[in-house]
Amino acid sequence: MVSGDSKNVQTFRKSLETDPNKSTGLAAIETLYDVLKNTRASTAGEFQDELGNAVKEMLTTDYSSTSIRSATNLFRKFISLAPVDITEKTDFSEILEFYRKRGVTFIERVSRSRSLISKYAKPFFRNNMNILTHSYSKVVLSALHEAHECGIEFHVWVTESQPDASGKRMHEALKSLGIETTLVLDSCVGYLMERMQMVVVGAEGVMETGGIINKIGTLNVSIIAKTLNVPVFVMAESIKFVDEYPLNQEDIPETFKYRSSVIAKNNLASEHPEVDYTPPQYLNLLITDLGILPPAAVGEELIKLYT
């Protein structure tokens, strides 16, 4: 943890450092739940301000702002969905107790997301498949591990995913699990694609369009796959569903494209974006904890999540 961090940022960082396999979104939700447990707010307005300030503080870190924003928005919406007999109580402490129960329920659901995705993904894996993945994704790693544990043998080709070489982390993680894997240059995706039976990627955020925000280069991989008729599957928790409707790369908010410390330099013209937007036409299916969805279904699911 960084000296001088606020209490909320310290809680957030500690949650991720204690469990390296935890998602950014879940850590953000647990941080808001910590605020909920300890709040002394006497009105709904005061309490919402506390939550809003906690979110702003977490967004100053260099963790994915896309994941933080989507997860915390859904958490705040979920806990506040209360029946009239609760919301009309004059004692705000009783309303907070209801919120706390809802918060526990939400965290329990999110904690099961990865195992549900692995369950839904398993039928897509077959023996002797060549699978291409890009960058490092905890949920993709979990699904591949689950399929391998069930006795399915396949070979995973992992792009280096420059400029941070996050694919090397994925490659090493796969090797440690006993999964056959090869690390490849980003520039050889076109050369390799005709040998692949499937492309599997994670996502920092699933947009209302059904497209995804993910590590830079995901768009390149998906376009090549589409051209060569190789299916592209996205694995993402529903807490990554974002109420944004980008139509092109320019529509991606700067806070999604760059980390907080980079934006603070105030010289983005010389910076390399960390993510790109892959439109839905290049994706076949989204494998989520809500089930297997076509990209076109994301908008409807977002409406359900936010109402």
Side-chain angles (χ1 to χ4, degrees), residues 163-230:
D164 64 355
S166 54
K168 291 184 178 180
R169 289 176 57 209
M170 188 70 166
H171 174 62
E172 292 301 321
L174 289 165
K175 278 204 305 183
S176 71
L177 295 173
I179 297 172
E180 288 190 30
T181 177
T182 301
L183 184 67
V184 300
L185 297 171
D186 294 341
S187 55
C188 77
V189 169
Y191 175 82
L192 284 172
M193 190 62 75
E194 62 188 26
R195 300 171 57 182
M196 300 298 123
Q197 283 78 53
M198 179 185 355
V199 172
V200 181
V201 295
E204 287 198 16
V206 179
M207 305 295 106
E208 190 176 350
T209 58
I212 62 170
I213 298 290
N214 197 44
K215 177 66 190 294
I216 191 82
T218 302
L219 175 60
N220 304 26
V221 171
S222 301
I223 289 174
I224 293 169
K226 179 74 172 182
T227 302
L228 295 176
N229 296 313
V230 177

Side-chain angles (χ1 to χ4, degrees), residues 66 69-70 205-213 240-247 256 277-280 286 294-306:
T66 317
R69 178 180 137 180
S70 59
V206 179
M207 305 295 106
E208 190 176 350
T209 58
I212 62 170
I213 298 290
K240 291 182 176 179
F241 285 20
V242 188
D243 57 341
E244 285 279 347
Y245 204 96
L247 298 177
F256 288 6
Y277 170 63
T278 302
L286 302 169
V298 171
E300 182 179 344
E301 292 298 328
L302 264 168
I303 292 171
K304 293 177 185 177
L305 289 168
Y306 278 94

Side-chain angles (χ1 to χ4, degrees), residues 7 17 41 59 62 69 71 75 102 115 124 135 158 166 180-181 192 196 215 217 226 228 234 249 252-253 258 275:
K7 179 181 181 298
E17 291 167 3
L59 288 172
D62 275 348
R69 178 180 137 180
F75 177 81
R102 293 278 290 177
S115 62
F124 290 92
S135 188
V158 188
S166 54
E180 288 190 30
T181 177
L192 284 172
M196 300 298 123
K215 177 66 190 294
K226 179 74 172 182
L228 295 176
V234 178
Q249 306 304 319
I252 306 173
Y258 305 98
V275 301

Side-chain angles (χ1 to χ4, degrees), residues 71-88:
T72 55
N73 281 353
L74 286 170
F75 177 81
R76 294 171 71 179
K77 185 67 176 179
F78 183 86
I79 63 170
S80 62
L81 291 175
V84 175
D85 63 318
I86 296 293
T87 57
E88 290 185 346

